[in-house]
Amino acid sequence: MSEQTLNQAAAKAPEHAELSTSVHSWADGLWERIGQKIERTSRRIGVSCPHASVNGVYDDMRISWWTAGFWPGILWQLSADGKYPELKSIAEQCEERLDEPLHSLAVHHDSGFIWLLSAVANYRITGNERSKERGLMAASQLASRFNLKGRYIRAWHDTASLNRAGWSIIDTMMNLPLLYWASETTKDPRFRHIAAAHAETVLTHFMRPDGSSYHILHFDAETGELLGADAGQGHAENSAWARGSGWTIYGMVLSYQYTGDEAFLIGAKRAAHFFLANLPEDYVPHWDFRAPRNADTPRDTSAGACAACGLIELAGCLPAGEGQMYLEAAVRLVRSMDENYGAWDREDEEGLILSGTSNLPGGVHVDTPLIYGDYFFVEAVSKLRGSERRFW
Ligand code: GLY
């Protein structure tokens, strides 16, 4: 090749991995079907707090449950461009209902899941000042859960018999963006320092050398010393709960995007490699990568959908040549969920995507649509259509 041709090729090479027009048009078609199905479901469930679809019908959980943001999150995803004004109105009413847990301090470390997808989404889209205040209140509560000695964010409150001051869990990776957002919004770096310190603890203690993660770790809340681990929602202490892998991939990418710290990018890649290397033939993960497996072992589409969002973002952080692999893996995942797990043609099913697993050891919602699986699926499809709107 002449130098001129080489220069022309270099000029044309995309900076980041790109999607083909056929992927864009497939995602556009999917977006239409999602909108139709969500509109239909919204007419029945309205302002409520769905967690899982039971026998085809979305339930209504208590408003302080960690999943309370996903329904308004879906509604904001669909209505952000001005379409579906009635969905926007439901999202606003869901946000108002959330003032109750916000003011009663009922919410634990999952305030990111709840208020990023409700109040912060509203603020980002409409500039609503009341929503900004809600987001900042939730961020302050989350920041107050930081344990300085152990450099971790505490997970849940105590129970009558259990002091849980030293418990921290992998899911918190997805709550950190509330803190990063609060620092950007207030121009006060304290929130970001706390989030980054927690993410560093995840790199040091939660992530294993192979890229898998523990679900629950116990620290000594006085000294910060690491004491041990628990299986939590996974099969065993040393197994690899698939949704935990999803939280790690996406959470690490987000920490990298907000801080620019390469260690989080490397963490995201390690988690992604473990996840991708363990996928079955149809690319949709089993609920735990190290649980005993037979033909009936449940999948967890919610883990796949969350991971797909993380993989798309990861691809965007990398040069085109390196990012393409992650982007194509995300497309394979979302395509399989659409073709093999989509509930599009079922009038008797409110969920979008079948075969989520909430908590198999606890016997809670196994092999059924979950609102967070549906949310991350919607977000992934939005990204595959080319949207760069940020919700986390
Ligand atoms: N945050 C709880 C879960 O992933 O099920």
Side-chain angles (χ1 to χ4, degrees), residues 66 109-110 113 156 169 171 215 233 241 243 247 358-359 372:
W66 74 278
H109 66 122
D110 279 330
F113 283 120
W156 303 292
I169 72 173
D171 321 35
H215 184 194
Q233 283 162 247
W241 179 47
R243 197 158 59 253
W247 298 148
S358 172
N359 182 351
Y372 36 100

Side-chain angles (χ1 to χ4, degrees), residues 139-292:
S140 301
Q141 289 187 30
L142 182 58
S144 75
R145 303 185 79 77
F146 186 64
N147 182 307
L148 193 59
K149 282 280 185 185
R151 303 182 85 239
Y152 65 87
I153 291 175
R154 170 191 176 151
W156 303 292
H157 300 314
D158 293 340
T159 64
S161 58
L162 216 49
N163 179 323
R164 298 197 280 193
W167 293 36
S168 189
I169 72 173
I170 192 66
D171 321 35
T172 299
M173 282 305 298
M174 288 304 293
N175 291 311
L176 302 183
L178 181 64
L179 300 176
Y180 293 126
W181 166 82
S183 267
E184 282 189 354
T185 305
T186 59
K187 311 275 184 283
D188 181 336
R190 287 175 301 160
F191 299 99
R192 187 181 70 245
H193 292 328
I194 288 173
H198 179 90
E200 283 164 15
T201 299
V202 170
L203 285 178
T204 313
H205 292 308
F206 279 83
M207 284 190 73
R208 307 184 186 106
D210 67 359
S212 65
S213 308
Y214 294 101
H215 184 194
I216 301 177
L217 287 184
H218 299 288
F219 295 88
D220 182 318
E222 284 294 346
T223 65
E225 184 195 349
L226 177 64
L227 300 176
D230 252 342
Q233 283 162 247
H235 167 67
E237 181 185 312
N238 285 310
S239 70
W241 179 47
R243 197 158 59 253
S245 283
W247 298 148
T248 313
I249 298 169
Y250 200 3
M252 278 290 159
V253 179
L254 291 162
S255 276
Y256 170 68
Q257 289 175 334
Y258 276 108
T259 64
D261 185 338
E262 292 274 330
F264 299 141
L265 184 64
I266 294 166
K269 286 194 214 172
R270 276 173 51 211
H273 297 166
F274 176 82
F275 183 91
L276 294 174
N278 282 282
L279 290 179
E281 257 177 33
D282 71 359
Y283 302 110
V284 172
H286 291 90
W287 73 282
D288 186 312
F289 292 117
R290 292 194 183 123

Side-chain angles (χ1 to χ4, degrees), residues 72-85:
I74 289 174
L75 303 175
W76 281 119
Q77 285 280 359
L78 285 162
S79 63
D81 294 331
K83 214 176 159 192
Y84 303 116

Side-chain angles (χ1 to χ4, degrees), residues 6 29 46 50 59 71 73 87 100 115 132 173 193 218 234 236 240 242-243 264 284 304 324 352-353 371:
L6 273 171
D59 61 1
W71 176 234
L87 299 189
E100 185 199 317
W115 279 281
K132 175 174 139 185
M173 282 305 298
H193 292 328
H218 299 288
R243 197 158 59 253
F264 299 141
V284 172
Q324 198 67 33
L352 299 176
I353 298 298
I371 196 68

Side-chain angles (χ1 to χ4, degrees), residues 27 29-42 45 50-59 70-71 73-78 84 87 284 301-302 305 333-356 367-382:
L30 212 42
W31 193 251
E32 286 301 311
R33 291 155 92 190
I34 289 170
Q36 285 161 16
K37 185 143 189 166
I38 292 297
E39 262 201 313
R40 204 163 54 239
T41 302
S42 76
I45 74 173
H51 173 202
S53 166
V54 180
N55 299 323
V57 175
Y58 257 119
D59 61 1
F70 291 105
W71 176 234
I74 289 174
L75 303 175
W76 281 119
Q77 285 280 359
L78 285 162
Y84 303 116
L87 299 189
V284 172
T301 46
S302 76
L333 254 163
V334 180
R335 265 200 198 279
S336 180
M337 281 188 272
D338 168 28
E339 288 164 13
N340 303 318
Y341 299 84
W344 309 113
D345 306 324
R346 285 182 47 177
E347 292 283 334
D348 63 341
E349 175 55 71
E350 289 181 342
L352 299 176
I353 298 298
L354 307 170
S355 299
D367 194 18
T368 200
L370 299 168
I371 196 68
Y372 36 100
D374 282 1
Y375 171 80
F376 284 108
F377 182 77
V378 172
E379 183 182 315
V381 173
S382 170

